[in-house]
Amino acid sequence: MRGVLFDGRTVQVVDDLEVRDPGPGEVRVAVAAAGLCHSDLSVVDGTIPFPVPVVLGHEGAGVVEAVGEGVTHVGPGDHVALSTLANCGACADCDRGRPTMCRKAIGRPGKPFTRGGEPVFQFACNSAFAERTVVKAVQAVRIPQDIPLPSAALIGCGVLTGVGAVLNRARVDHGESVLVIGTGGIGLNVIQGARIAGAARIVAVDANPAKEAVARQFGATDFLPSADGVRELLPHGVDHAFECVGRVELIRQAIDLLDRHGQAVLLGVPPSGAEASFLVSSLYLDKSILGCRYGSSRPQRDIPLYAELYRQGRLFLDELVTETYPIEDFEKAVDDAEAGRVARGVLTF
């Protein structure tokens, strides 16, 4: 079985992986497509510490091959989008509708794969850069079969994180103003989440001028090469600022550009030991700094919602897929992503 393996030093496409059968409460999925997200690359560069060897990938969609005992909501032949949220479904946080806070869904990497008889870790409880993967049943969410799987793959991370941050965490309201710093895969989904929420002004910031057209396509009303120009457009500041890059100086800008009662939402992932600073006095006018894990999502609710919004033409998925690559062209996909040539590159099997 083919897959993308990181051994702690190099990344390579291998063809000798094996994956076990699904156990009780698990699902085996034949992965059709998987988006290349910067979180995968962050494992390789050490920004996200993770045990190795590990099969990468966490944003995928495919077809159910087999289900374990007790799984009834999906069956063989169903098309599914995969979430990374392997929550238990039984703890207090799950019961409150906060599965992203389930402690069993955080930092517990499994080993459903083997290579040469040795166990291999699974990234983000998912490992979508493999021809087949085994996930908890709660992670497999059935989607309509008329949604192209390369497009559906992007729901499981970029859409849940970006759109979810707007609708679930920040709760952007009609007529409000939104600043989006960084217009990669997450930033574009924040932009379209703000459009869906009815924001009146959506200011996109990206140092790459080539990204203006797609940012406006997704709903940006304004585009700037630097956040330094935001006050010229909105002298009082913005209601919501989303930092989607993961740089501490941009986090500071997001906070400094808030209007009264504004919220800065942190979505980018800086190095694990990074520290950011801000003026304490700047928060006294009811301003907030919000962390956000995975768009504060409830995947079994949100993925079908986003699939329906796509079918209505309100949520863009096809437009996110700039390029598709066979899994063997993983290095080219990485090069295009790092050079900013794609909104999202999608690997296919």
Side-chain angles (χ1 to χ4, degrees):
M1 182 180 77
R2 292 172 297 165
V4 178
L5 184 78
F6 176 54
D7 64 6
R9 299 178 302 277
T10 60
V11 181
Q12 57 182 321
V13 179
V14 301
D15 61 6
D16 55 353
L17 287 172
E18 295 184 6
V19 68
R20 61 173 172 78
D21 290 332
E26 293 181 333
V27 176
R28 189 176 70 226
V29 176
V31 179
L36 176 60
C37 174
H38 278 284
S39 293
D40 300 304
L41 304 181
S42 293
V43 174
V44 177
D45 67 23
T47 301
I48 297 178
F50 206 87
V52 293
V54 58
V55 178
L56 298 175
H58 65 285
E59 184 181 68
V63 181
V64 175
E65 277 194 342
V67 300
E69 181 183 352
V71 177
T72 59
H73 73 291
V74 293
D78 283 342
H79 287 203
V80 293
L82 300 177
S83 94
T84 67
L85 204 59
N87 60 296
C88 71
C91 68
D93 283 310
C94 287
D95 193 50
R96 295 187 186 105
R98 301 187 306 200
T100 56
M101 296 297 102
C102 174
R103 284 166 171 78
K104 292 188 177 180
I106 301 173
R108 296 172 182 265
K111 298 178 182 178
F113 303 100
T114 56
R115 185 184 186 217
E118 296 297 322
V120 176
F121 285 102
Q122 183 177 44
F123 178 53
C125 303
N126 191 307
S127 289
F129 292 169
E131 287 187 89
R132 293 174 181 81
T133 190
V134 170
V135 298
K136 289 186 65 173
V138 71
Q139 296 176 253
V141 185
R142 187 165 53 191
I143 56 173
Q145 296 198 6
D146 59 356
I147 300 180
L149 289 172
S151 299
L154 303 186
I155 300 176
C157 176
V159 175
L160 281 176
T161 299
V163 178
V166 173
L167 302 182
N168 300 329
R169 186 66 169 128
R171 299 183 183 272
V172 173
D173 204 354
H174 283 79
E176 293 188 318
S177 58
V178 172
L179 168 64
V180 183
I181 301 176
T183 61
I186 299 300
L188 288 175
N189 279 297
V190 172
I191 290 170
Q192 71 169 333
R195 170 178 51 79
I196 291 167
R201 201 76 178 264
I202 304 171
V203 181
V205 171
D206 200 295
N208 184 353
K211 293 189 174 182
E212 179 173 0
V214 69
R216 290 188 180 276
Q217 177 186 17
F218 273 68
T221 59
D222 304 271
F223 185 91
L224 296 170
S226 165
D228 294 337
V230 172
R231 291 281 183 185
E232 296 178 18
L233 298 175
L234 297 162
H236 295 298
V238 298
D239 297 311
H240 307 274
F242 295 83
E243 201 283 334
C244 305
V245 180
R247 288 168 48 187
V248 294
E249 67 272 22
L250 297 179
I251 291 173
R252 172 62 183 265
Q253 280 193 306
I255 296 167
D256 288 345
L257 288 168
L258 295 177
D259 195 358
R260 299 182 178 197
H261 207 268
Q263 299 180 133
V265 184
L266 311 186
L267 296 177
V269 182
S272 58
E275 297 183 359
S277 65
F278 60 92
L279 293 174
V280 176
S281 60
S282 70
L283 298 185
Y284 289 145
L285 292 173
D286 285 0
K287 301 178 186 180
S288 304
I289 303 170
L290 304 180
C292 183
R293 181 171 192 258
Y294 203 40
S296 301
S297 298
R298 286 181 274 175
Q300 289 289 343
R301 178 202 67 170
D302 292 347
I303 289 177
L305 168 63
Y306 299 153
E308 182 57 32
L309 290 175
Y310 165 80
R311 298 174 87 190
Q312 294 173 10
R314 298 172 62 194
L315 182 86
F316 299 156
L317 293 179
D318 302 338
E319 297 82 355
L320 283 169
V321 183
T322 312
E323 189 75 44
T324 59
Y325 309 82
I327 190 69
E328 290 79 10
D329 287 348
F330 176 76
E331 289 188 9
K332 185 178 187 303
V334 170
D335 184 62
D336 286 347
E338 292 183 331
R341 290 189 285 265
V342 294
R344 213 43 148 209
V346 175
L347 301 170
T348 59
F349 290 94

